[in-house]
Structures are given as structure tokens and as C-alpha cells.
Amino acid sequence: MTAIQLAQRATGLLRVFNEAGVLSAADVHVALRLGKLGREDHETVLLATALAVRAVRSGSVCLELSRMHEIGVDGEGFETESDAELIDPATLPWPEGADVLAALRISPLVRGGEAGPLRPLRLVEDDGAEPLLYLDRYYRQEQTIREVLADRATSHPLIDPETIRRHLDRLFPGSGAPGDPPDRQRVAAALAATQWTTVVAGGPGTGKTHTIARILALLVAHQRSMPGAPALRIALAAPTGKAAARLQESVREQAGELDLPELTAATLHRLLGWQRGGATRFRHHEFNRLPYDVIVVDETSMVSLTMTSCLLPAVRRDARLVLVGDPDQLASVDAGAVLADLVAGPVAGAPNPQLDEVLGTESAPSEQPEALSARERDRLRGGIIRLTRGRRFGGLIADLAVAVRAGDADTALDLLADGGAELSLCGPEEFTAVRADVVATARACTTAAEGGDAMAALAAMESHRLLCAHRQGRYGVERWDTLAAGWVSAAGIGVETYAGQWFAGQPLLVTANDHEARIYNGDTGVIVRGPDGGLRAALQRGSEPYLVHPTQFPSVTTVYAMTIHRSQGSQYGTVSIVLPGPESTLLTRELLYTAITRARTHVRIIGTEDAIRAGIGRRVLRASGLRG
């Protein structure tokens, strides 16, 4: 363990757990600071406080006290991942759960004390539920989300059911007839028309953006049918600039056929009006709400608890809010997995008679295989619908994604073993197939780029992508980027690069936003030769490329490999997924699922069977009170 990760002031249990790698120095320092401010020196309370800090750092909202002994070694403080295997957390002196609870119940950090009303910890003990320990800030954020959603569920918008049905028939032709299986996209649109808050969940290719456009078309048409009603004010948003640009392009591509107005999407920060040095973090909040009648947020799985707690109070109570995303993908890098919590948690709100009137028999119990299940019908009461029919890919890739999502490692490995043209499994040092794809992609991309065909160059670049779980190390982006660049150079493609040099066919990854130039962190592009012989960067923007001069980029890097996190929302012909060893804590079921579902035609996994089993068996279990 490196010296910088040891907290020099740690003693007792804090020192033991710090040295073991369960706690970082930062976790210890925060616990000691809070203990000093609250005049709390009980080592059991300080340990629980440090573990609550670590829980947030690891993505959870709170610490599940009954499971705290299951917390493993962090791994970040070790020189190599194998070093972390030398520590068995089960051998550490974990205090008894009853003792921890007893100490917390009387702690001034929970109850307040002589030092003042400071209560940095919240202990939640609901009847029949496991006790949860929160840092106060995250408790209040979770309560804000819970209260706003509960309040929005107490009423429903006023609609004309006949008008809604007529436009549903227009927007979803061939669906809704008596006896037909329910079209979940149609159900989602009906739900958005009759609820203030709607959650549309679904995996890649299930038609989420297709549904968004038709939800908007339905609401616009309904508003236009009301004499004298003003035009709907609509906002489109996403957590990142790249996701916002993609949402905007998708809706605009369908606007003509759906008679939609021209809409612009923004990041959530821009929507809320982020401001530096103001009395509040955002310009829009509970006392200065957003002026929109309809707000659609795409890629909600990437939205953190903190951002959600800022967004919801800023939405007018009489505005429709549509949250869209895939709850099975990787969650936000910050604390919370709000979309997954909402989809899996209890529903609030009374039955919606308007929805039943609009859908008729579509939502009624049925023996048809594709009918809505009893659970799905109950989720409708809470404004939640999951799209299930994949349209982007199918066959063995879809089967593999389902097996991974279900935690079925045996089926996943059987599929990979017999994958044929769609699936393949290579050993960690088997480079032949991936090298061939990297070189073929670079050659096709460079040929198109030299010829000035930006769309063909972008299509070629997206025909294959190397995806890694780690940034560094043997299995990381840095190593595989270097390997791929070497293979491309050895094949005589492109040029020898040096600082500041651009060349046709160069694959790019944008790493910073420039909203004025319409360039966003996470954008990928390629350098192409223009008609004048000069070089331009082409970025994917719907059916037409967006061309900018390379010097306009705020920050950009040449990319042959990228992290799986960065790939969210993108699609490629073939993906080659580099798995770390089974001991890696980054290797999870959600990570595998996200990587697999980036592919349209072929998934290649580079790793061992043990790594696949470990990844499928390891879930990102983010503790949260929203599910309870």
C-alpha cells in the first residue's frame, strides 16, 4: 500500500480498516473531522461514519448497517489489483451490528449535542426495514425526491380521452385494436398524457427516442385541439452534452412527419441555469421554477441523486416530466441510481381512471404471452413502463445480454462458446482477430477520409470499437490505445503522429464541452480532407456530419480504445471488450451488460471464463432508501 493513502491520525478501528484498504485516507479524515466537530470519540461511531463516507464515494446513497461487514477491500490504494487479494475483510475486527446501532442511537452526530445542533448523520430505522445510515446531505436529497414525486402523484392532468385515443391511433398505426397484444410504446405515450410524472425504461434498441418523439407529438396535438390554448413549452435535456445532442437530432429527424416544432436539447446544468458564486447553485429551483409545460430527460440512468434532487423541485407541479433511460446500464459516477430505484421501488399514487379509459382493454389482464403482467399493470399506477421489444439487435447478442442481466453465467458462457458470427471469446493475449478489425476499420476510415467522404469515414470508424473497463494497467485504455495505434502504423495507415499534427482518418474523442461550437465531451469524430485539400474534423450529427476546424476543439485526443463508461449511448458494428482479471471491483454485471449492448452485429470478449463469471456474479448494489 502506498504511504499517501494511510491516514496518519487514524487510531484504533479506523487505523485497522485503513491499513486493510477498506477505508481510504479521505474516509478517515472526514470521520475524524466530524467527530471533532460533534465531540464524538466512540471508535464504533467513527468507523460507521467513515464507512458511510466510503459508501457515498462508492456510489451508494447510504450505508446498510446490517451488511456493512460485507464491504470489501477498496483496491484503489494498492499498487496492483492482486495486492488487494491478500486482505480478507472477513478477518477484520468488525463490531457487532447491535453495538453499532446502540452507539449511533445516542451519538451526538445523530442526535445533536452540547457542541450545537449539528447532525451530520441520519439514522433511519423504519419498521420492517434494515437500518440505514446517511450523511445528512444525501438523506435530505433523497427526501426531496421522495416528497416531490409523492406530491406530483396526487393528481392527474385534465385530458380529452377521445382526442388522446384518436391521436394514439394516428401515431401508432396498427396497434390498439381489441384483442391485439399491447404496444408498450403506445402505452408509454398514453401514460405520459395522463400522468404528471412518467418513467419510460428500456434497453438499447427498444425505441425509447422513437417513443419520446411520439409522446411529444401526442401532447402537442392534444394542446392544439383545445381552442385558445397556448403552444406547449417543451424542454429536452440529458446529463451530458453528447446525450443532449443525440436526443435533439433524433427528435428533429422525426419532427417533419410528426408535425413537431423545432426543439433544442440542453444538458441538465444548462437547463437549470448553473451559476458560479450565486446564492444557489442553479438559477431555477423550488422558488424559481422552470417555465416549461413538458420536460423530457433522456439517459436518466446517468443522472445522480444530487442532480435529481435539484431538478425535481424546479419542475412546475402542473408540468409533465418524462424520465427516459435504461436502468440496467451503468449508473451515474456520482452517488445514487435514481432511475433503477424508481423502476424497482414501490409505486405511489392512486389508480388512474383516465389511463384505463384511454387504453381500454390494452391494459386489462390477458392470457396473451405479450400481455402486460400484473406487476407491469401495477407499475402503470406509478407512471412506470418498461419497453421490452428490441429493434436494434436480436439473435445471440440479445440472448447474451439477457443472460448477463439475469445473472446466468452458464448460459452466457455457452452462448459465447457457440456464438458463430455474432459472438466470440478470446484469451487475454489472443490479438489476431481484434488486430484484424482495428486495422480494417482504420484502413476503411482513412480511405474515406482521404476522399473527403465524411459520412463514410464516420460509418467506418463506428464499425468497430475497443472497450475497456479500466483506464490504466494491462487491461486499460492506455495500453490498448497504444497497441491499436501500433497495429495501424505497422499496416502503413495514417502517419507517424506527434504533438499538434492532424492526419486524414485520425479517430478523435472530445474530452471537454464547448456549447457555443456545438462540441461536447464524449463526442467522437474523424479528421477528413476537404475539397480545398485542408483538414476538417467530422462529428456525427444525425444524417449529416458536423464539420469543424480541428483547432476549434476545447480538448481532444486520438482514440482507438475507450472506457465502457464513455461508450454509453453509442452503437458500433462490432465491439471488442477487454475484461480485467476476476479480482477487479470494476468488473460488474452492469458493466458487461452495457458493453455487450453497444454492439449491433458482433460481440468479442477478450478475457477469461473466470473473469466473465466474476463480472456476472458481481452487481453494483447501490444502497438507497428509495427502493424501500
Side-chain angles (χ1 to χ4, degrees):
M1 200 170 180
T2 58
I4 194 171
Q5 277 129 355
L6 285 174
Q8 300 302 317
R9 293 190 295 127
T11 60
L13 289 176
L14 287 179
R15 185 165 191 83
V16 171
F17 281 78
N18 179 211
E19 290 179 340
V22 173
L23 297 174
S24 72
D27 303 331
V28 173
H29 288 314
V30 172
L32 290 173
R33 178 64 175 164
L34 291 177
K36 183 177 181 180
L37 290 173
R39 298 180 185 174
E40 172 62 87
D41 58 5
H42 195 296
E43 68 171 357
T44 299
V45 173
L46 295 179
L47 174 64
T49 303
L51 290 172
V53 175
R54 181 209 151 124
V56 170
R57 184 168 55 81
S58 302
S60 290
V61 177
C62 55
L63 173 67
E64 294 179 292
L65 291 172
S66 63
R67 298 183 57 201
M68 69 178 189
H69 63 281
E70 299 176 17
I71 295 174
V73 172
D74 197 326
E76 293 183 3
F78 292 87
E79 298 289 356
T80 65
E81 289 170 348
S82 60
D83 291 340
E85 292 186 282
L86 301 177
I87 303 293
D88 182 1
T91 63
L92 297 174
W94 294 95
E96 292 293 330
D99 295 338
V100 175
L101 265 177
L104 286 170
R105 285 170 181 155
I106 62 173
S107 171
L109 298 185
V110 173
R111 299 172 59 88
E114 296 178 0
L118 176 70
R119 296 175 58 197
L121 300 181
R122 293 290 185 124
L123 179 62
V124 177
E125 296 182 89
D126 291 332
D127 292 339
E130 298 294 339
L132 303 175
L133 183 66
Y134 290 81
L135 299 180
D136 180 67
R137 170 189 175 187
Y138 296 95
Y139 172 81
R140 287 185 285 109
Q141 290 177 355
E142 192 175 272
Q143 287 300 103
T144 295
I145 294 170
R146 191 192 308 274
E147 290 166 4
V148 171
L149 290 176
D151 181 59
R152 291 175 60 82
T154 57
S155 65
H156 301 98
L158 294 176
I159 62 163
D160 177 14
E162 181 57 38
T163 300
I164 293 294
R165 278 198 301 270
R166 185 172 69 254
H167 287 293
L168 283 173
D169 291 339
R170 173 178 63 85
L171 294 167
F172 299 93
S175 67
D180 285 351
D183 181 341
R184 284 168 173 77
Q185 292 186 355
R186 179 187 173 107
V187 173
L191 198 60
T194 58
Q195 297 272 155
W196 292 123
T197 307
T198 305
V199 177
V200 181
T206 52
K208 295 190 293 296
T209 51
H210 177 89
T211 305
I212 288 172
R214 276 148 186 78
I215 286 173
L216 296 176
L218 175 65
L219 297 178
V220 167
H222 182 267
Q223 185 79 353
R224 288 171 177 167
S225 71
M226 301 168 63
L232 280 180
R233 293 165 294 182
I234 299 171
L236 304 179
T240 66
K242 176 184 175 183
R246 191 170 55 246
L247 172 62
Q248 176 177 298
E249 291 155 12
S250 177
V251 171
R252 285 186 175 181
E253 284 174 359
Q254 303 173 71
E257 64 174 301
L258 299 176
D259 195 21
L260 283 172
E262 183 170 308
L263 298 171
T264 300
T267 64
L268 286 171
H269 280 78
R270 286 174 68 85
L271 177 73
L272 291 172
W274 183 85
Q275 52 190 6
R276 187 189 304 275
T280 59
R281 183 181 179 190
F282 294 107
R283 186 171 67 255
H284 292 288
H285 45 73
E286 181 182 4
F287 305 106
N288 181 31
R289 305 207 182 201
L290 292 161
Y292 301 103
D293 304 303
V294 181
I295 299 174
V296 177
V297 181
D298 197 15
E299 298 288 0
T300 311
S301 64
M302 299 166 63
V303 182
S304 68
L305 178 89
T306 298
M307 178 55 76
T308 307
S309 71
C310 293
L311 170 67
L312 292 184
V315 178
R316 292 192 348 248
R317 196 171 183 271
D318 62 344
R320 287 180 173 88
L321 176 64
V322 183
L323 305 175
V324 185
D326 183 354
D328 297 311
Q329 281 192 183
L330 290 165
S332 163
V333 294
D334 296 319
V338 178
L339 180 68
D341 288 342
L342 295 180
V343 171
V347 296
N352 186 350
Q354 291 185 126
L355 179 65
D356 294 335
E357 189 175 354
V358 167
L359 290 178
T361 60
E362 292 178 73
S363 62
S366 171
E367 298 300 321
Q368 293 184 10
E370 296 184 27
L372 296 172
S373 67
R375 175 175 170 79
E376 284 182 295
R377 294 195 302 275
D378 181 63
R379 309 308 284 169
L380 294 181
R381 180 169 54 86
I384 300 166
I385 180 70
R386 185 188 278 268
L387 308 181
T388 56
R389 185 183 300 173
R391 294 166 169 81
R392 185 175 297 161
F393 56 76
L396 296 179
I397 295 177
D399 292 342
L400 179 61
V402 169
V404 170
R405 190 174 63 191
D408 188 347
D410 289 337
T411 297
L413 286 169
D414 288 344
L415 287 167
L416 286 166
D418 303 324
E422 293 181 69
L423 305 174
S424 57
L425 175 61
C426 302
E429 301 299 327
E430 293 179 30
F431 296 158
T432 304
V434 66
R435 178 173 182 163
D437 272 345
V438 167
V439 170
T441 297
R443 181 171 284 116
C445 185
T446 301
T447 299
E450 286 285 8
D453 191 339
M455 285 304 292
L458 287 167
M461 187 184 71
E462 294 190 351
S463 65
H464 175 261
R465 177 66 76 202
L466 260 169
L467 299 179
C468 304
H470 288 218
R471 294 184 184 278
Q472 299 172 327
R474 177 184 175 190
Y475 309 105
V477 167
E478 289 185 3
R479 181 202 179 204
W480 284 84
D481 233 354
T482 302
L483 280 174
W487 296 335
V488 170
S489 178
I493 303 168
V495 298
E496 292 293 331
T497 63
Y498 56 84
Q501 183 179 13
W502 306 98
F503 61 93
Q506 182 178 1
L508 304 175
L509 173 67
V510 180
T511 56
N513 288 321
D514 185 339
H515 294 282
E516 298 303 321
R518 294 173 55 209
I519 299 170
Y520 306 108
N521 186 3
D523 272 342
T524 53
V526 61
I527 297 294
V528 299
R529 195 167 298 283
D532 60 354
L535 296 178
R536 294 289 184 271
L539 303 176
Q540 189 73 55
R541 289 289 187 272
S543 59
E544 294 293 330
Y546 179 50
L547 299 177
V548 298
H549 195 277
T551 57
Q552 284 188 257
F553 286 118
S555 181
V556 68
T557 183
T558 301
V559 60
Y560 291 100
M562 67 169 52
T563 63
I564 296 169
H565 274 87
R566 274 200 180 272
S567 74
Q568 288 192 92
S570 299
Q571 289 292 308
Y572 309 99
T574 296
V575 294
S576 295
I577 307 165
V578 181
L579 296 187
E583 70 281 351
S584 171
T585 55
L586 290 179
L587 182 58
T588 64
R589 185 182 305 178
E590 290 80 2
L591 188 89
L592 272 175
Y593 171 84
T594 300
I596 290 165
T597 54
R598 299 310 93 203
R600 291 190 181 93
T601 59
H602 187 86
V603 172
R604 175 185 298 114
I605 293 183
I606 303 169
T608 65
E609 290 191 7
D610 286 344
I612 294 171
R613 287 190 180 277
I616 293 175
R618 185 184 292 118
R619 298 203 64 185
V620 178
L621 296 176
R622 295 192 166 188
S624 164
L626 288 177
R627 294 195 180 209

